[in-house]
């Protein structure tokens, strides 16, 4: 059994990994088995900045042969080291599950000996968990770049999700900060996991292979790439590798012995803005080129949808009762759900501002960009609108700090509605 000392080391060493959402998996419990990764059977929740909780997040080993400058577990760092066996991880997961501590597992590892050796251990762990410990809960494995593709493929038949971290937003930064890694070793398995052969065309989803798909993670701010660069890469990966999610992680300094990295932590607000921009890419019909401003970065003062609308005031106001669904989605304060409600409701009657409020449109944002039955009640001046947006954002942040904040702010934090 894994002792407390090693457990503490392996859990601590995994704390900077954030790609642990479990959405999309449909693995069900079986007679004599344990756990359930279905929507109704496994609970997972998200903190306001997008992090997922309630999985056991642990490394199989933090004893790394690589020396990535930004990583706590790099070979040259003098920290306590520990390694668990596949059986120790399996026993821990089932014990924790029975005690209701966790609903699933997020398992990663430093590179021990070789990428193949490490991937083999990860594969063995997830296989044992399913076949010997009969665990049916959610399992997210971190893939090891450079490992044999057969090992990765075999693991995909037991895990719900596998992720390969893109790590740095450019090859130049990767070479500089993680010289033992290379872009191709990360991209090749992502391409493989996206292959159509794993999809059941009749069910229109993956069945036996990685039902929750693949994700990746990028550390933001450790290297000079702009938000525009990060979002272009994100867009490309969504389009080409069928990723479920891209996770962004604000850089946290852990290595003060190198001049290659900043000494300051990157503000969480940058990560938050990237998550908001990510929603615009996935659900609102925006392209990466549209989202960032002239300097290539997202506004830190207000959300990227507001920033886009203010830069394109010539396209507004739009009449809510006749605007296309695509244009409604571009109005600040109208989210995906409220756009749908508007489209349904306006079939039967022309809507006014009171109706929009009932449909949960955030009017303090939307009024500057819409008319209702031809009536406009917002600001027309760009600077006035900017100030209103900054004030709205400040007020909402204060509300979110309170447990009793406005319902719309809480819903927005959880769902990404913009
Ligand atoms: S491979 Fe690099 S990022 Fe991964 S654990 Fe080792 S040093 Fe850290």
């Amino acid at each position: 059994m894994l002792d407390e000392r090693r457990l503490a080391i392996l859990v601590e060493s995994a704390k900077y990994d954030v790609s642990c959402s479990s959405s999309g998996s449909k693995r069900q419990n079986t007679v004599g088995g344990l756990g359930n990764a279905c929507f109704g059977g496994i609970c997972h929740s998200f903190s306001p900045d997008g992090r997922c909780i309630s999985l056991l997040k642990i490394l199989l080993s933090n004893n790394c042969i690589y020396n990535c400058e930004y990583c706590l577990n790099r070979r040259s760092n003098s920290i306590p080291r520990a390694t668990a066996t596949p059986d120790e991880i399996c026993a821990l997961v089932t014990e924790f599950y029975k005690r209701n501590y966790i609903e699933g597992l997020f398992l990663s590892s430093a590179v021990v000996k070789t990428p193949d050796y490490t991937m083999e251990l990860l594969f063995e762990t997830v296989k044992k968990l399913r076949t010997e410990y009969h665990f049916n809960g959610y399992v997210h494995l971190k893939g090891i770049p450079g490992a044999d593709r057969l090992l990765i493929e075999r693991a995909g038949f037991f895990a719900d999700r596998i992720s390969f971290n893109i790590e740095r937003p450019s090859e130049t930064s990767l070479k500089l900060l993680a010289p033992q890694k290379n872009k191709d070793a990360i991209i090749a398995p992502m391409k493989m996991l996206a292959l159509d052969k794993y999809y059941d065309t009749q069910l229109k989803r993956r069945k036996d292979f990685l039902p929750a798909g693949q994700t990746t993670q990028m550390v933001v701010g450790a290297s000079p790439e702009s938000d525009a660069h990060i979002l272009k890469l994100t867009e490309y990966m969504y389009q080409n590798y069928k990723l479920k999610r891209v996770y962004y992680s604000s850089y946290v300094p852990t290595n003060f012995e190198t001049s290659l990295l900043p000494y300051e932590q990157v503000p969480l607000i940058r990560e938050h803005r990237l998550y908001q921009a990510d929603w615009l890419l996935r659900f609102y019909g925006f392209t990466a080129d549209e989202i960032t401003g002239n300097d290539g970065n997202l506004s830190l003062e207000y959300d990227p949808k507001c920033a886009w609308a203010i830069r394109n005031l010539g396209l507004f106001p739009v009449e809510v009762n006749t605007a296309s669904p695509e244009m409604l989605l571009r109005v600040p304060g109208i989210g995906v759900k409220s756009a749908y409600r508007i489209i349904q409701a306006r079939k039967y009657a022309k809507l006014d501002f009171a109706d929009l409020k009932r449909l949960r449109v955030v009017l303090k944002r939307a009024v500057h960009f819409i008319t209702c039955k031809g009536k406009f009640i917002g600001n027309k001046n760009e600077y006035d609108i900017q100030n209103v947006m900054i004030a709205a954002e400040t007020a909402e942040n204060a509300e979110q700090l309170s447990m009793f904040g406005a319902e719309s702010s809480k819903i927005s934090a959880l769902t990404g509605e913009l």
Side-chain angles (χ1 to χ4, degrees), residues 29-34 134 136:
N29 199 0
T30 52
V31 177
L34 274 175
H134 308 293
N136 288 309

Side-chain angles (χ1 to χ4, degrees), residues 111-323:
V111 182
V112 191
K113 294 186 186 174
T114 65
D116 278 347
Y117 178 81
T118 314
M119 196 67 223
E120 179 96 48
L121 286 178
L122 291 171
F123 164 65
E124 195 186 331
T125 308
V126 69
K127 187 179 174 197
K128 270 178 181 276
L129 207 46
R130 298 292 191 216
T131 58
E132 293 179 28
Y133 292 78
H134 308 293
F135 182 74
N136 288 309
Y138 178 79
V139 177
H140 177 167
L141 272 195
K142 183 54 61 72
I144 305 295
D148 189 282
R149 59 178 288 151
L150 265 179
L151 278 171
I152 297 165
E153 186 178 46
R154 285 163 73 197
F157 286 101
F158 293 97
D160 292 279
R161 170 169 286 176
I162 292 184
S163 57
F164 284 85
N165 281 357
I166 201 88
E167 304 273 14
R168 303 293 121 181
S170 77
E171 197 173 358
T172 314
S173 302
L174 191 68
K175 273 188 185 146
L176 188 69
L177 298 171
Q180 288 128 320
K181 291 184 175 169
N182 72 75
K183 189 186 102 188
D184 291 342
I186 298 169
I187 297 297
M190 289 169 83
K191 275 187 191 162
M192 183 192 86
L193 296 180
L195 289 178
D196 285 338
K197 69 173 182 173
Y198 301 120
Y199 282 83
D200 185 315
T201 42
Q202 274 189 325
L203 291 174
K204 294 196 175 141
R205 64 173 170 83
R206 295 161 184 266
K207 188 165 166 268
D208 300 320
F209 185 83
L210 293 184
Q214 62 168 329
T215 59
T216 192
Q217 179 191 353
M218 249 187 284
V219 178
V220 173
S223 44
E225 292 83 8
S226 65
D227 293 337
H229 179 102
I230 290 168
L231 290 170
K232 284 289 280 182
L233 176 60
T234 298
E235 184 179 58
Y236 180 84
M237 291 192 294
Y238 278 134
Q239 288 170 354
N240 291 281
Y241 307 145
K242 299 195 180 100
L243 292 185
K244 289 281 185 184
R245 288 295 301 272
V246 174
Y247 291 90
Y248 310 93
S249 178
S250 280
Y251 168 70
V252 178
T254 57
N255 181 359
F256 298 97
E257 291 159 10
T258 176
S259 57
L260 295 173
L261 289 163
Y263 294 116
E264 300 283 320
Q265 178 163 356
V266 172
L268 270 179
I269 186 71
R270 185 171 176 202
E271 177 186 310
H272 181 57
R273 294 292 181 232
L274 282 165
Y275 276 116
Q276 290 179 318
D278 188 282
W279 276 74
L280 296 184
L281 287 178
R282 288 185 297 138
F283 302 114
Y284 288 77
F286 282 81
T287 63
D289 283 336
E290 291 176 299
I291 296 174
T292 44
N294 290 337
D295 69 348
N297 284 312
L298 298 168
S299 165
L300 297 182
E301 293 180 308
Y302 36 75
D303 72 67
K305 192 172 168 193
C306 283
W308 176 84
I310 291 170
R311 284 198 305 276
N312 291 279
L313 274 182
L315 301 175
F316 298 102
V318 293
E319 169 58 45
V320 157
N321 289 291
T322 54

Side-chain angles (χ1 to χ4, degrees), residues 13 59 61-75 81 108-111 144-145 165 167-168 177-178 180-181:
S13 298
L59 297 190
S61 174
N62 72 341
N63 204 356
C64 200
I65 58 166
Y66 287 0
N67 206 35
C68 308
E69 294 282 353
Y70 47 84
C71 179
L72 202 64
N73 303 316
R74 66 189 181 279
R75 191 186 59 224
R81 303 285 175 175
S108 183
S109 182
V111 182
I144 305 295
N165 281 357
E167 304 273 14
R168 303 293 121 181
L177 298 171
Q180 288 128 320
K181 291 184 175 169

Side-chain angles (χ1 to χ4, degrees), residues 10-60:
L10 293 171
V11 169
E12 172 71 15
S13 298
K15 74 179 179 187
Y16 293 110
D17 217 316
V18 298
S19 34
C20 52
S21 165
S22 61
S23 57
S25 187
K26 297 209 184 303
R27 183 186 308 282
Q28 297 202 4
N29 199 0
T30 52
V31 177
L34 274 175
N36 193 325
C38 285
F39 294 125
I42 185 164
C43 301
H44 35 77
S45 58
F46 298 85
S47 57
D49 60 2
R51 287 183 168 83
C52 179
I53 51 175
S54 87
L55 305 176
L56 170 62
K57 186 160 62 167
I58 191 167
L59 297 190
L60 194 69

